[in-house]
Amino acid sequence: MTTLIEVRDISKSYTMGPSTVTALDKVSLDIAEGEFVAIMGASGSGKSTLMNLIGCLDSPSSGEYYLNGNLVSEMDDDDLARIRNKEIGFVFQTFNLLARATALHNVELPLIYAGYNAKERDKRARAALAAVDLEKRMLHKPSELSGGQRQRVAIARALANDPPVILADEPTGNLDSVSSANVRDILRDLTHSTGKSVVAVTHDGHFAAAADRRIAIVDGRIDANWQPG
């Protein structure tokens, strides 16, 4: 399998007053094309920091990070923004949908930033909503959708630009058990049907159990022996 994400001895430290806090300490991992990976750990373990680095939302203090063959750990802000738009789709716990926009328009948003014309935006957005079984709800606004449907719109938005990587931050955190299972199955099936890599931060043991691999972060390091409490 082709390696899509390569993290080599990544560390991230923050200065907080007179103290320096190390959020990640020499973490190394590979994630293959088409792999579904769950990142787990207690609050403050460093898993969200790792997600931000993989998502090019932050830069490491040291170490190297390659995404799709590109050394992104040394890129400037403009290049990181381009990589985020082209290579990564984001799914958030709180959906982050525009309240007054339809599902279709919400999914079109990243395509506007990517420079697609109106016809192509509409085509791609409709296809993405169809992929999450929302063809009949695409003209509804978020307030007219259930929590599970809103998260499926968010997944469609992440898919619209056809990125090789989907990053999901607690994607089932605000959902009931039935909606959680539906979102989990959609993300898992994406890896099989499209070859995309899905990386999810989660506290949901059932969600994590469906992943191809689980990575536990404890005190800023990968812990192969960690078990959820």
Side-chain angles (χ1 to χ4, degrees):
M1 298 177 70
T2 302
T3 299
L4 192 61
I5 292 170
E6 300 176 66
V7 173
R8 295 288 176 264
D9 290 326
I10 286 288
S11 294
K12 182 65 180 181
S13 298
Y14 299 95
T15 300
M16 303 181 69
S19 303
T20 298
V21 176
T22 300
L24 286 179
D25 188 10
K26 295 184 178 179
V27 168
S28 295
L29 62 90
D30 289 346
I31 295 174
E33 185 179 278
E35 189 175 17
F36 180 17
V37 176
I39 298 176
M40 303 189 75
S43 296
S45 62
K47 63 185 186 299
S48 293
T49 301
L50 178 59
M51 178 68 84
N52 287 340
L53 293 174
I54 291 175
C56 301
L57 297 169
D58 202 355
S59 298
S61 302
S62 63
E64 295 181 336
Y65 168 36
Y66 293 86
L67 174 59
N68 214 7
N70 299 299
L71 180 58
V72 298
S73 52
E74 296 184 0
M75 288 183 177
D76 61 23
D77 289 345
D78 289 341
D79 285 336
L80 287 175
R82 178 181 56 80
I83 288 289
R84 283 195 301 271
N85 186 263
K86 181 180 178 183
E87 304 283 348
I88 303 168
F90 294 93
V91 179
F92 301 97
Q93 179 178 351
T94 53
F95 319 133
N96 288 11
L97 301 176
L98 294 180
R100 297 184 179 182
T102 63
L104 184 64
H105 184 61
N106 269 288
V107 175
E108 284 184 334
L109 281 177
L111 301 173
I112 293 172
Y113 299 136
Y116 289 99
N117 62 42
K119 183 177 180 179
E120 184 65 17
R121 291 198 305 267
D122 183 77
K123 176 183 176 182
R124 283 175 171 260
R126 288 175 183 273
L129 285 163
V132 297
D133 197 25
L134 283 179
E135 301 102 315
K136 296 180 180 179
R137 308 289 285 180
M138 63 178 60
L139 297 182
H140 289 68
K141 295 178 180 179
S143 62
E144 301 170 315
L145 302 172
S146 68
Q149 288 171 334
R150 277 178 258 173
Q151 192 60 295
R152 283 153 61 193
V153 173
I155 293 171
R157 180 183 58 195
L159 291 173
N161 208 21
D162 196 26
V165 179
I166 302 293
L167 298 185
D169 187 5
E170 297 286 0
T172 59
N174 286 335
L175 304 180
D176 60 45
S177 59
V178 173
S179 296
S180 294
N182 183 252
V183 166
R184 176 198 66 206
D185 292 345
I186 287 172
L187 290 173
R188 182 188 60 201
D189 292 346
L190 277 176
T191 63
H192 300 151
S193 63
T194 68
K196 296 183 187 302
S197 299
V198 175
V199 184
V201 165
T202 184
H203 284 98
D204 183 342
H206 293 293
F207 182 97
D212 299 319
R213 184 159 51 110
R214 289 165 292 285
I215 296 172
I217 305 294
V218 177
D219 296 332
R221 295 184 176 184
I222 292 177
D223 185 348
N225 299 315
W226 182 85
Q227 296 292 329

